[in-house]
Amino acid sequence: MHVLIIGAAGMLGRKLSEGLVSDGKIGDRAIKRLTLADAIAPKVPHGFTGDAACVTVDLTAPDAAASLLHAKPDVIFHLAAIVSGEAEVDFEKGYAVNLDGTRALFEEIRLAQKDGPWKPRLVFASSIAVFGGDMPDVIGDDYFHTPETSYGTQKAICELLLADYSRRGIFDGIAIRLPTVCVRPGAPNKAASGFFSGIIREPLAGLPAILPVSDDVRHWMASPRATVAFLIHAAEIDLSLMKNRRCITMPGTSVTVKEQIDALVRVAGTKLADLIERKRDPAIELIVSGWARGFNPQRAESLGFKADKEFDDIVRIHIQDELGGKLPNLG
Amino acid sequence: MHVLIIGAAGMLGRKLSEGLVSDGKIGDRAIKRLTLADAIAPKVPHGFTGDAACVTVDLTAPDAAASLLHAKPDVIFHLAAIVSGEAEVDFEKGYAVNLDGTRALFEEIRLAQKDGPWKPRLVFASSIAVFGGDMPDVIGDDYFHTPETSYGTQKAICELLLADYSRRGIFDGIAIRLPTVCVRPGAPNKAASGFFSGIIREPLAGLPAILPVSDDVRHWMASPRATVAFLIHAAEIDLSLMKNRRCITMPGTSVTVKEQIDALVRVAGTKLADLIERKRDPAIELIVSGWARGFNPQRAESLGFKADKEFDDIVRIHIQDELGGKLPNLG
Ligand SMILES: NC(=O)c1ccc[n+]([C@@H]2O[C@H](COP(=O)([O-])OP(=O)(O)OC[C@H]3O[C@@H](n4cnc5c(N)ncnc54)[C@H](O)[C@@H]3O)[C@@H](O)[C@H]2O)c1
Ligand SMILES: NC(=O)c1ccc[n+]([C@@H]2O[C@H](COP(=O)([O-])OP(=O)(O)OC[C@H]3O[C@@H](n4cnc5c(N)ncnc54)[C@H](O)[C@@H]3O)[C@@H](O)[C@H]2O)c1
């Protein structure tokens, strides 16, 4: 089968590419061809023995979608997006990439069907940012979407489009609302959510981290490993079980910052907690106060999506997958 | 103040124009200027003493939105739409009018702000078609939107856009989800929902009507008079009360077909019920089975939106507003 990943050079795109190459298949079909696309040049993971192609393309450019779909891939993972902060600052870019880029992709699939039958599986990375405003502590599967960011609005709109295109038989779509991925590897970034990863990642590298909110802030998280497993599972399952409700909140772990730090200490030792400096930032506190704290993701669980067991595991996964199992030597 | 109605030649557009002309004001501001726009030539209601302009324009044409907004109206009612059945049959036209036409309007307001501050009130006619699939008998205000038609999808997307543009301060938007308007005046049309009006309107005109579903089908309805009052109230209220949740289900009357017919008989006599012929249509039954049966529209009620008291009133309103108070003489 031919798999296309759009957004393949991003954090999740790279991990998904590696995961697919290491599995070698999706469900029981071998991956014979892999096309990796991104605005930044993607890289084919080591060890892939099939046909691989890397495409550097801006999804918002005219004909970008057509060029990507020309070979009619069987499975499409659509991960390309402008993140929340940037979509809030740059209105036009956010709508152009996150909405119009996605719609161009969907439209191109619809138009390509004039050449003959083709109904790819399309897995779309949505986000819990589709929720906003006053929310219960535990959000059920039928709770409404009232995003309070343009990014969340764009994700919610793409979900609606995906469901309509799927209902009409244009493609076989599923939108999975990813929790905040934690621990996000790499350098600290400016995302308002960055500290959820920073307070684990930096101490584990022997570096100081700043905590800009109170210890009792609660949020919904999943490890990169669990998140990649969600994406792959979404490409495998029988979507007829979802009927026309193709958009679904992923399981996760609901933890407070205090519970995160306690897990860090349990897994890696007390000294690491000393590297976390508390320095409240009202701007970040305000943004974070509008985020979901927890879900009851029954539908996803009944479809076989599985979260990390506890936050301790999320810390261990980071140590295993990013640090080669090594803890810092703090003397 | 200057009021613009887009979709002014439609059923609700005409009734809204008349309602505004008869009120003469919105809130406590006199209507000095009225612009009526539609793809079909609109007509200015009798009795308007201010400046009136009729514009025949296709909202999907380039520059259509710009030409309508040039004079920077204070209140915009956006009612232009392709109805459910047509949007389902003609995918491209539905998205072009219901989504792209609306987005072009919103974008034009955003871009016009470069010329100086202008923040119109924008009232958007959404629909309970944003709900779909398995639904509870009584849907709460925080129930999710999983439309099962392209029309419902387009309305749900416009709601999300409206909320985001409002949150960003681009305009002061409110989307009201209208119940099925009953009794819809005029000739029978091919809408799947047509019979809800037909079984009242046709007998009241002394004509036969066909009932294609079972008597226990339940649905959410409002009279044209109540619906026009919703639109006008939406233009008047203090939207800060809604915070960023600008999209809201309107009150209505949840009745079964049997209750409709009972009301008809109570208001206008037993003989009228004999004009209704039961002739089941599986296609219509299937469509209607996916429609909402009832709501608990607490938010709208707390904001002062008021439904008809009971279906008997809906029958009486049709007799008063459309038939000059006269019942048919069935001999
Ligand atoms: N990481 C999270 O916590 C999280 C949570 C919820 C949802 N998501 C979603 O998952 C997806 C992947 O997230 P990530 O953390 O890997 O993000 P990322 O920023 O690391 O990767 C996104 C990739 O998209 C690419 N891209 C952006 N604009 C593009 C364009 N116009 N054309 C082609 N490529 C373009 C970027 O170059 C980047 O490589 C995104 O859709 C994101 O919204 C992520
Ligand atoms: N009537 C109902 O039961 C009901 C229920 C829920 C929502 N609504 C919504 O209320 C609004 C008005 O409904 P209605 O019953 O008066 O519908 P209608 O069909 O009578 O009127 C719609 C008007 O929009 C105009 N229009 C369509 N495409 C246009 C375009 N491209 N440019 C300019 N004008 C265009 C049509 O010419 C028509 O006059 C619609 O948005 C509809 O979706 C109606």
Side-chain angles (χ1 to χ4, degrees), chain A residues 116-303:
Chain A
W118 170 52
K119 194 175 173 184
R121 169 74 51 114
L122 194 150
V123 179
F124 174 65
S126 188
S127 162
I128 54 171
V130 301
F131 301 97
D134 291 334
M135 285 173 280
D137 279 332
V138 178
I139 298 175
D141 279 327
D142 58 9
Y143 197 68
F144 69 163
H145 307 143
T146 57
E148 298 237 348
T149 57
S150 291
Y151 169 83
T153 302
Q154 291 143 11
K155 292 289 188 188
I157 292 174
C158 292
E159 287 192 4
L160 285 159
L161 290 172
L162 177 140
D164 198 39
Y165 280 66
S166 297
R167 186 184 61 79
R168 296 184 81 120
I170 295 167
F171 54 69
D172 207 19
I174 172 168
I176 59 176
R177 285 176 212 123
L178 305 178
T180 292
V181 177
C182 182
V183 180
R184 188 182 173 95
N189 67 13
K190 282 184 195 144
S193 62
F195 70 87
F196 287 118
S197 288
I199 59 170
I200 308 297
R201 184 189 56 234
E202 301 309 308
L204 283 173
L207 299 170
I210 286 175
L211 172 60
V213 304
S214 104
D215 281 54
D216 57 10
V217 163
R218 180 177 283 285
H219 194 48
W220 189 244
M221 303 179 207
S223 67
R225 207 194 271 178
T227 305
V228 166
F230 296 154
L231 291 164
I232 296 177
H233 190 61
E236 291 176 349
I237 56 171
D238 176 2
L239 292 186
S240 70
L241 298 170
M242 301 181 78
K243 297 197 191 147
N244 290 331
R245 290 185 172 165
R246 299 301 188 94
C247 310
I248 183 172
T249 301
M250 287 294 102
T253 306
S254 173
V255 282
T256 62
V257 165
K258 176 171 188 317
E259 288 164 356
Q260 286 191 282
I261 298 173
D262 289 348
L264 175 68
V265 165
R266 273 194 301 275
V267 173
T270 324
K271 280 191 181 156
L272 270 65
D274 299 339
L275 289 166
I276 301 169
E277 185 194 346
R278 285 169 176 74
K279 199 165 146 192
R280 303 278 275 261
D281 179 333
I284 294 186
E285 290 188 289
L286 183 70
I287 297 175
V288 172
S289 72
W291 290 353
R293 297 177 291 278
F295 293 87
N296 180 8
Q298 285 184 340
R299 285 184 68 221
E301 283 165 6
S302 74
L303 289 164

Side-chain angles (χ1 to χ4, degrees), chain B residues 9-12 38-39 57-59 79-81 125-126 151 155 179 181 184:
Chain B
M11 185 268 287
L12 288 174
D38 200 295
V57 67
D58 177 348
L59 188 57
L79 311 178
S126 188
Y151 169 83
K155 291 288 188 188
V181 177
R184 187 183 174 95

Side-chain angles (χ1 to χ4, degrees), chain B residues 1-2 29 69 71-76 106 108-123 162-174 235 238-240 243-244 246:
Chain B
M1 73 179 351
H2 177 190
R29 294 180 63 193
L69 298 176
K72 298 202 164 42
D74 302 291
V75 176
I76 302 166
F106 292 1
E108 199 54 44
I109 300 176
R110 185 175 71 84
L111 296 171
Q113 289 174 335
K114 289 180 184 146
D115 315 340
W118 171 51
K119 194 175 173 185
R121 170 74 50 115
L122 194 150
V123 179
L162 176 139
D164 198 39
Y165 280 67
S166 297
R167 186 184 61 80
R168 297 184 80 121
I170 295 166
F171 53 68
D172 209 19
I174 173 169
D238 176 3
L239 292 186
S240 71
K243 296 197 190 148
N244 290 331
R246 299 302 188 94

Side-chain angles (χ1 to χ4, degrees), chain A residues 38-73:
Chain A
D38 200 295
I40 295 168
K43 284 198 194 92
V44 180
H46 292 294
F48 186 62
T49 53
D51 276 350
C54 289
V55 187
T56 307
V57 66
D58 178 349
L59 188 57
T60 64
D63 299 326
S67 72
L68 287 174
L69 298 176
H70 184 68
K72 299 201 163 43

